[in-house]
Amino acid sequence: MPGHAASLMQLPISLDPALPATLQEQLFRALQRLILRGVAAPGIVLPGSRQLAAQLGVSRNTVVLAVERLASEGYVGPVRGRGMAVSEGLPDSFLSAPPAMVRSGPRRAADRGGAITRPSRPPAIDFRIGRPDSASFPQAAWRRAVDRQLQHRLDGLFDYPDPAGHHGLRACIASQLAAARGIAADAADIVILSGLPEALDIAATVLSLRGRVALVEKPCYARALAVLRHHGAAVRAIPVDRHGLQVDRLPKGTARLVFVTPSHQFPLGFTLPLERRAALLGKASALDAYVFEDDYDSDFRHEGSPLTALKGLDASGRVIYFGTFAKSLGPGLRLAYVVLPRSLREPFLRVKDIAYRGRPWLEQAALADFIAEGSYQSHIRRSRRLYTRRRDVLGRALRQAFGPVDLSGLGGGMHLAWHLGRNLPGARRIAALAAATGVGVYPIEAAPAEAFGDRRLLDRTLLIGYASVEEAAIEPGVAKLARAIEED
Amino acid sequence: MPGHAASLMQLPISLDPALPATLQEQLFRALQRLILRGVAAPGIVLPGSRQLAAQLGVSRNTVVLAVERLASEGYVGPVRGRGMAVSEGLPDSFLSAPPAMVRSGPRRAADRGGAITRPSRPPAIDFRIGRPDSASFPQAAWRRAVDRQLQHRLDGLFDYPDPAGHHGLRACIASQLAAARGIAADAADIVILSGLPEALDIAATVLSLRGRVALVEKPCYARALAVLRHHGAAVRAIPVDRHGLQVDRLPKGTARLVFVTPSHQFPLGFTLPLERRAALLGKASALDAYVFEDDYDSDFRHEGSPLTALKGLDASGRVIYFGTFAKSLGPGLRLAYVVLPRSLREPFLRVKDIAYRGRPWLEQAALADFIAEGSYQSHIRRSRRLYTRRRDVLGRALRQAFGPVDLSGLGGGMHLAWHLGRNLPGARRIAALAAATGVGVYPIEAAPAEAFGDRRLLDRTLLIGYASVEEAAIEPGVAKLARAIEED
């Protein structure tokens, strides 16, 4: 059927030497496409290689190799004395398969660093919460710590990482926790993971939360709630007051888990006092519940020393402690950890190993070094001083612009909560007015926090982060905010 | 009660200036411990700061600050005119709490690189499977690619990474897949994740596998099976022959998922031919099943070109394609990806975002650069040549030592499977004999693969990896193996 073969040659096979794929590859794909689309039907004989080469302006060898590959994949086969023909055995279902395309070179993403998906341009002065100051990050020391790992034998690259995490890093964390949080743990109690959602996801599986009661604070971190609900837990929210979780309002009966943020209640910033910590541990025992302690924002204490963590007071092995480097270094690291009660170590690691395995080796190893040489600790000290100053400037600016204001969360952390007086618009309205003038302040749901429909929390609470806002921009930002509200 | 106070002073409070914690911190912890243990009971008055400072040989300021911190945490409170006393309000449950200990400096892990947990010393000549050659890794280029990311603005560090993965990296992968695997995908079809278990875990959730049929190859990757079982799938194993999955033995009825390794059947190394690929896609349609294509070992093809991936032939949007950088660069990176059918993109990302969020930014950004500059591609080409040579040397050595041997998986990949003749001991016995002489060869379950009790697979199959064994060590390794078997 030379007619068919000739008609095949009329078809647009366009080869482009500028594309990254070789001409041979391009020709293979083009012919494969013709076959798959049914343009070159079963039985059709391909033109000779000399002829095809001449027509396409490529070497004969290119054609021969492309056709050989078609043959090796079964698209064409030899016909006695007549060259190669499209195979008869190709199932009909193939003939409508989408063609494999030869694409041009890689598109470079606009944001090379980290593919940040934000709906629109961030405000010029963005009081967003939970973001560390990038300008004061010890870039040179961190760069050295990473590069040291890449100078020598890259052992960590060539094997699967320990699902529990880098041993040296776990030992460093244990040491830090003893000094800073009063937690007696060793490396074997610690598991490195990506963040709170992963930690809670694994805990929820280990504790078989489906259908069982999980108690959370009202308001609470929306992502924590999403994980609990994903696992089918029966979630009940217990209100917080100015001293955090109202422990005496915990229900009777049984519960499987209590999720709390004792250091700096998320997102309102209250600190759970010692008596309530003790009462909570007693109550957990009565409920037969585990306590998931999200030690939110404990790195930066502006007033006094941080209270000893619940985990440091836990006599009965009920507390799962969660800490993270997302706030002290950056969320792009994806490095966090849990300290587990002995009884949960083995089941937790077993579940983690099913799907998550270990964390990437490089930044774990670098961080261990960074802590061991003391760079981490001095970074934390510097950040704490910086954030304390910014908090002071923010508080002063708010009082200047709005008179007496009811703020919470001043004792530590990276943001404060402003409990809006009745004379002010609602939180969402203020956030929208502010955004229109290039200032970012946030209602509680943007934290993201879940208020369980509490109108006072939703309407009358505004969150203002100060850690990542330059000191000189804070007062102007607040002044713009005040003007925007006034002009409303 | 000065008597009590005096007795408190007799107790061993040992402060050590050589420890990393400050003396003030140590004293705070020591006193806290005494209170928590009930040694210093409620109501007991602490000795004066001057007295305590003299006794412990520390400055008075150290004592004052430690006691102030105890007071701020609620352990002690002022007693009119008599200094500080242990609080009465501490609940009984506290009094048996384990003490928070001041620990010595961080222990440095022996293996700084990556905390590899292996039960014992690896064999001197280790034919283990699935490990790339570390000596030929392009360390300098990789180091530069990582360092370039750390030289400039670390945007990626200071925000949460895109759950779908670094956009630039996804675009690079899409481009690679078009050229190498005949897959027409763009960045939006691709999700970066840590490895096969995570990919399958998310897919199992998205597809609601509980109680539904999942078809796997026999033998198959044990970790894949573990994920499917963890999700409560009704797993059925379909035997493979020399051409991979026996597609005509797929059951009638319905199934939710078919898990296959078409490029290089894991762990036996067979390649699924085109006709079976077509038949499998047709069968999946009849079963109303999704196909999970684990494109195992497709980076290194020793003979001919790789066949177009199932995903490249998929007309009906049923194929979830999985690829990884664990074999081409190293498993310590924890970087892999899926290419999703359009219908699964949104639910897959939603489930991923609940617990896993995005991958760490640094190595994703570095890898995008590494691919864009062509370093990745030339590394793959060099590795392929290296592994082809090692495969040849290994095959020759085996034939020299054992005569005609029945090997599979020679067409590509990083290991081969030896189907042992009846004249040889069983696979486990051989592995044990080899290990005793410092040579690592592996029975199928060490892959780790699941043989579903098939005695022929378990007894008569030995896996020998060659990618990470120096060429000069291959023949001596095989000779040692032969001697060990002979002397048995």
Side-chain angles (χ1 to χ4, degrees):
Chain A
M1 295 173 274
H4 275 112
S7 77
L8 186 59
M9 286 172 54
Q10 307 301 324
L11 290 163
I13 296 183
S14 68
L15 307 182
D16 179 355
L19 289 176
T22 63
L23 293 173
Q24 175 196 326
E25 172 73 29
Q26 293 182 45
L27 179 56
F28 166 76
R29 294 289 168 211
L31 290 169
Q32 182 193 37
R33 194 157 51 221
L34 295 176
I35 295 168
L36 289 174
R37 281 180 170 164
V39 178
I44 284 186
V45 177
L46 296 187
S49 56
R50 192 185 310 264
Q51 198 180 346
L52 207 47
Q55 163 138 3
L56 296 170
V58 298
S59 81
R60 197 174 159 198
N61 199 40
T62 297
V63 175
V64 169
L65 289 172
V67 173
E68 265 180 19
R69 180 158 170 209
L70 284 172
S72 80
E73 293 208 18
Y75 293 96
V76 299
V79 198
R80 192 188 302 253
R82 293 175 55 204
M84 293 297 225
V86 176
S87 301
E88 301 279 354
L90 293 174
D92 287 350
S93 68
F94 261 56
L95 302 180
S96 57
M101 295 185 307
V102 176
R103 294 163 50 81
S104 57
R107 254 184 284 146
R108 302 293 280 259
D111 48 340
R112 298 290 312 278
I116 298 157
T117 24
R118 308 187 76 194
S120 54
R121 280 177 62 83
I125 301 178
D126 194 356
F127 292 100
R128 63 186 181 148
I129 77 165
R131 290 302 190 285
D133 181 63
S134 58
S136 61
F137 182 80
Q139 183 163 4
W142 180 245
R143 187 179 164 197
R144 276 196 305 273
V146 171
D147 194 53
R148 268 198 300 275
Q149 303 301 322
L150 294 173
Q151 274 172 44
H152 305 295
R153 298 181 55 210
L154 308 178
D155 288 337
L157 177 59
F158 300 113
D159 215 329
Y160 286 89
D162 186 336
H166 184 280
H167 189 277
L169 177 57
R170 288 185 284 134
C172 287
I173 290 171
S175 172
Q176 286 287 301
L177 286 174
R181 309 297 297 116
I183 295 173
D186 64 34
D189 300 312
I190 294 174
V191 176
I192 311 283
L193 30 70
S194 61
L196 183 89
E198 181 182 347
L200 197 54
D201 182 59
I202 299 174
T205 302
V206 168
L207 301 178
S208 308
L209 277 192
R210 185 161 303 281
R212 299 166 95 164
V213 174
L215 304 168
V216 301
E217 296 161 331
K218 171 181 163 182
C220 79
Y221 185 33
R223 283 188 164 273
L225 187 65
V227 173
L228 295 173
R229 288 190 166 149
H230 175 69
H231 281 270
V235 175
R236 288 202 237 157
I238 314 298
V240 302
D241 61 18
R242 296 287 161 132
H243 302 290
L245 181 69
Q246 297 188 47
V247 176
D248 54 0
R249 296 180 64 173
L250 286 169
K252 305 249 176 280
T254 63
R256 188 60 170 159
L257 189 75
V258 188
F259 179 86
V260 278
T261 51
S263 273
H264 198 240
Q265 201 278 332
F266 185 86
L268 302 178
F270 308 124
T271 300
L272 200 69
L274 181 64
E275 309 79 65
R276 286 207 186 169
R277 288 175 193 238
L280 173 57
L281 290 174
K283 210 59 196 266
S285 192
L287 289 163
D288 198 19
Y290 283 90
V291 175
F292 192 106
E293 176 180 27
D294 173 8
D295 199 15
Y296 182 76
D297 260 2
S298 62
D299 293 316
F300 307 113
R301 190 78 209 158
H302 304 308
E303 289 166 4
S305 299
L307 294 188
T308 298
L310 279 174
K311 181 75 188 166
L313 306 170
D314 175 27
S316 53
R318 297 197 167 271
V319 178
I320 300 166
Y321 175 94
F322 173 82
T324 180
F325 295 98
K327 306 296 185 294
S328 55
L329 295 172
L333 270 185
R334 312 306 302 123
L335 283 178
Y337 55 91
V338 287
V339 186
L340 297 169
R342 189 147 309 206
S343 62
L344 294 184
R345 275 165 29 174
E346 191 274 333
F348 194 95
L349 271 181
R350 192 156 30 79
V351 170
K352 179 172 198 295
D353 198 34
I354 290 173
Y356 299 78
R357 301 194 74 161
R359 304 295 303 154
W361 76 285
L362 178 61
E363 284 165 304
Q364 289 194 77
L367 180 52
D369 238 29
F370 196 69
I371 297 176
E373 72 183 14
S375 295
Y376 179 73
Q377 296 85 326
S378 46
H379 169 56
I380 292 287
R381 279 193 299 271
R382 274 195 310 271
S383 299
R384 190 184 294 139
R385 281 195 297 270
L386 184 71
Y387 297 168
T388 301
R389 273 203 311 278
R390 290 180 179 181
R391 175 202 69 154
D392 292 343
V393 173
L394 174 61
R396 212 176 307 127
L398 286 169
R399 280 189 298 275
Q400 231 159 47
F402 297 95
V405 282
D406 180 4
L407 308 177
S408 66
L410 295 166
M414 301 157 79
H415 74 272
L416 53 77
W418 178 8
H419 305 277
L420 300 167
R422 287 280 152 208
N423 57 324
L424 289 166
R428 286 174 213 174
R429 176 83 191 139
I430 293 181
L433 292 170
T437 69
V439 174
V441 293
Y442 298 93
I444 198 169
E445 65 264 40
E450 172 65 48
F452 299 94
D454 185 307
R455 301 241 46 95
R456 192 180 48 82
L457 289 171
L458 291 167
D459 292 347
R460 296 287 117 203
T461 315
L462 199 65
L463 303 176
I464 311 185
Y466 47 79
S468 61
V469 183
E470 271 180 66
E471 205 170 308
I474 292 176
E475 193 278 327
V478 171
K480 277 181 124 179
L481 174 67
R483 217 158 33 242
I485 295 175
E486 201 168 304
E487 289 167 2
D488 182 29
Chain B
M1 294 175 271
H4 275 112
S7 78
L8 186 59
M9 285 172 56
Q10 306 302 322
L11 290 164
I13 296 182
S14 67
L15 307 181
D16 180 354
L19 288 176
T22 62
L23 292 174
Q24 174 197 326
E25 173 73 29
Q26 293 181 45
L27 179 56
F28 167 76
R29 293 290 168 211
L31 290 168
Q32 182 192 37
R33 195 159 49 223
L34 295 176
I35 294 168
L36 289 175
R37 280 181 172 162
V39 177
I44 285 186
V45 177
L46 295 187
S49 57
R50 192 185 309 266
Q51 197 181 346
L52 206 46
Q55 163 138 2
L56 296 169
V58 297
S59 81
R60 194 170 161 201
N61 200 37
T62 298
V63 175
V64 169
L65 290 171
V67 172
E68 265 180 18
R69 180 155 171 213
L70 284 172
S72 79
E73 293 209 18
Y75 292 96
V76 300
V79 198
R80 191 190 301 254
R82 293 177 54 207
M84 295 296 223
V86 176
S87 301
E88 300 279 357
L90 293 174
D92 288 349
S93 68
F94 262 56
L95 302 180
S96 58
M101 296 185 306
V102 177
R103 294 164 49 82
S104 57
R107 255 185 283 146
R108 303 293 280 258
D111 49 338
R112 297 291 310 279
I116 297 157
T117 24
R118 307 187 78 194
S120 53
R121 279 177 63 83
I125 302 177
D126 194 357
F127 292 100
R128 63 190 182 143
I129 76 166
R131 292 302 191 282
D133 181 63
S134 57
S136 60
F137 182 80
Q139 183 162 4
W142 180 246
R143 187 179 163 196
R144 276 195 307 273
V146 171
D147 194 53
R148 267 198 302 275
Q149 303 301 322
L150 295 174
Q151 273 172 43
H152 305 295
R153 297 180 54 208
L154 307 179
D155 289 338
L157 177 60
F158 300 114
D159 215 330
Y160 287 89
D162 186 335
H166 184 280
H167 189 277
L169 178 57
R170 288 185 285 133
C172 286
I173 291 171
S175 172
Q176 286 287 303
L177 286 175
R181 310 295 298 116
I183 295 173
D186 64 35
D189 301 312
I190 294 175
V191 176
I192 312 282
L193 30 69
S194 62
L196 183 89
E198 180 182 347
L200 198 53
D201 182 59
I202 299 173
T205 303
V206 169
L207 302 178
S208 308
L209 276 194
R210 185 162 303 280
R212 298 165 95 165
V213 174
L215 303 168
V216 301
E217 296 162 329
K218 171 179 160 186
C220 79
Y221 185 32
R223 283 188 163 273
L225 187 66
V227 172
L228 295 172
R229 288 192 166 147
H230 176 69
H231 281 269
V235 175
R236 287 202 238 157
I238 314 298
V240 303
D241 62 18
R242 296 288 162 129
H243 302 291
L245 181 69
Q246 297 188 46
V247 175
D248 54 0
R249 295 181 67 173
L250 287 169
K252 305 251 175 277
T254 63
R256 187 61 170 160
L257 190 75
V258 188
F259 179 87
V260 277
T261 52
S263 273
H264 199 241
Q265 201 277 331
F266 185 86
L268 301 178
F270 307 126
T271 301
L272 201 68
L274 180 65
E275 308 80 63
R276 286 208 187 169
R277 290 176 191 236
L280 174 55
L281 291 174
K283 211 56 195 268
S285 192
L287 288 162
D288 198 18
Y290 283 90
V291 175
F292 191 106
E293 176 179 27
D294 173 10
D295 199 13
Y296 182 77
D297 260 3
S298 62
D299 293 315
F300 307 114
R301 189 78 208 159
H302 305 306
E303 290 166 3
S305 299
L307 294 188
T308 298
L310 279 174
K311 181 76 187 167
L313 306 170
D314 175 27
S316 52
R318 298 196 166 273
V319 178
I320 300 166
Y321 175 93
F322 172 82
T324 180
F325 296 98
K327 305 295 186 295
S328 55
L329 294 171
L333 269 185
R334 311 307 302 126
L335 282 178
Y337 55 90
V338 286
V339 186
L340 298 168
R342 187 147 310 207
S343 63
L344 294 184
R345 272 162 35 172
E346 190 274 333
F348 194 95
L349 271 180
R350 192 158 28 80
V351 169
K352 180 174 197 295
D353 198 34
I354 290 174
Y356 299 80
R357 302 193 74 158
R359 305 294 303 154
W361 76 285
L362 178 60
E363 286 166 303
Q364 288 194 78
L367 180 53
D369 238 28
F370 197 68
I371 296 175
E373 73 183 12
S375 295
Y376 178 73
Q377 296 84 326
S378 46
H379 168 57
I380 293 285
R381 279 194 298 273
R382 273 195 310 271
S383 299
R384 190 184 295 139
R385 281 196 295 270
L386 183 71
Y387 298 167
T388 302
R389 273 205 310 277
R390 290 181 179 181
R391 175 202 68 153
D392 292 343
V393 173
L394 174 61
R396 213 177 307 128
L398 286 170
R399 281 189 298 273
Q400 231 160 46
F402 296 96
V405 283
D406 180 5
L407 307 176
S408 68
L410 295 166
M414 302 158 81
H415 74 273
L416 54 77
W418 179 8
H419 306 276
L420 301 167
R422 287 282 152 208
N423 57 322
L424 289 167
R428 287 174 211 175
R429 176 82 192 139
I430 293 181
L433 293 169
T437 70
V439 173
V441 292
Y442 299 92
I444 196 169
E445 64 263 39
E450 171 65 49
F452 300 93
D454 185 308
R455 300 244 44 98
R456 192 180 50 82
L457 289 171
L458 291 167
D459 292 348
R460 297 287 115 204
T461 315
L462 198 65
L463 302 175
I464 311 185
Y466 47 80
S468 62
V469 183
E470 270 180 64
E471 204 170 309
I474 293 177
E475 193 279 327
V478 171
K480 276 180 124 179
L481 173 67
R483 220 163 25 245
I485 296 175
E486 202 169 304
E487 287 168 2
D488 183 30

